[in-house]
Amino acid sequence: MEENKMIKYDTMLDTLSIVLTFYMGVTGIFFIFSDRGLFYQSETYKVMATLIPQYGWGILFLAAAVVLSIAVVAETKYQYLLFIAGGLMTTILLFLYALASFDAGTPSVLPYRYLAMSLFSAAIAVLGGIAWRTTRRLQEPK
C-alpha cells in the first residue's frame, strides 16, 4: 500500500517539476540574455531590478530549474530533499515575481498567473516533504 503512495507522489512530483523546470529555465535564459533596454521597458521588471539585477534573477531562475531537473532524474535518497529545495526556491522566486507585477500595477492576469505558479511550486515542496517522510518511514527497521 505504501509503495503505491510513493509511485503516486513520484508521478505528481515529476509532472509538476518538469513543467516548472521548463518555465523557470526559459525565464532564466530570458533574464540573462535579453537586452537591458527591453527588460526595463516593463514596469514589473523595473520593480524587480530594484531588488536584484536582471542577470541575478536569471541565475536564480536557472538554479531553481537545475535543482528541479536533478530532482526529477535523481533516484537517490536525496531526491525528495531536492524536490523540497527546488519547490521552495521556485515558490519564493515566483512569489516575488507576482509581488513585483502587483506593485507595478500590471493590469492583467499575469500577477495572478505568477501567484498560481508559486502555489504549484509550494505543492512540489509539500509533496516532496510528504514523500521524504514516507520513504524514511518505509526504510526504518520494523
Side-chain angles (χ1 to χ4, degrees), residues 81-139:
L81 293 176
L82 290 170
F83 278 122
I84 295 168
L88 289 175
M89 288 173 67
T90 55
T91 298
I92 292 167
L93 288 170
L94 290 171
F95 186 72
L96 289 173
Y97 202 176
L99 285 179
S101 291
F102 280 120
D103 191 43
T106 306
S108 69
V109 74
L110 291 177
Y112 300 103
R113 183 183 302 162
Y114 302 143
L115 191 57
M117 290 175 64
S118 178
L119 294 174
F120 286 131
S121 301
I124 290 173
V126 169
L127 288 173
I130 291 169
W132 180 66
R133 187 181 66 198
T134 304
T135 302
R136 287 191 54 198
R137 189 175 44 220
L138 287 174
Q139 292 174 350

Side-chain angles (χ1 to χ4, degrees), residues 6-116:
M6 293 310 301
I7 292 171
K8 179 179 157 186
Y9 289 133
D10 278 345
T11 304
M12 286 190 302
L13 284 167
D14 288 347
T15 304
L16 286 172
S17 296
I18 289 169
V19 171
L20 280 173
T21 295
F22 284 119
Y23 176 77
M24 298 297 282
V26 168
T27 305
I29 290 169
F30 168 75
F31 286 158
I32 290 173
F33 294 110
S34 69
D35 181 36
R36 290 177 60 90
L38 175 69
F39 188 80
Y40 287 106
Q41 287 178 357
S42 167
E43 291 298 319
T44 297
Y45 299 145
K46 285 179 189 175
V47 171
M48 290 172 65
T50 62
L51 184 61
I52 300 172
Q54 173 184 353
Y55 63 87
W57 284 106
I59 291 169
L60 290 172
F61 272 69
L62 277 179
V66 167
V67 171
L68 283 176
S69 62
I70 291 171
V72 169
V73 297
E75 294 296 330
T76 67
K77 62 182 179 179
Y78 300 110
Q79 177 183 23
Y80 299 116
L81 293 176
L82 290 170
F83 278 122
I84 295 168
L88 289 175
M89 288 173 67
T90 55
T91 298
I92 292 167
L93 288 170
L94 290 171
F95 186 72
L96 289 173
Y97 202 176
L99 285 179
S101 291
F102 280 120
D103 191 43
T106 306
S108 69
V109 74
L110 291 177
Y112 300 103
R113 183 183 302 162
Y114 302 143
L115 191 57

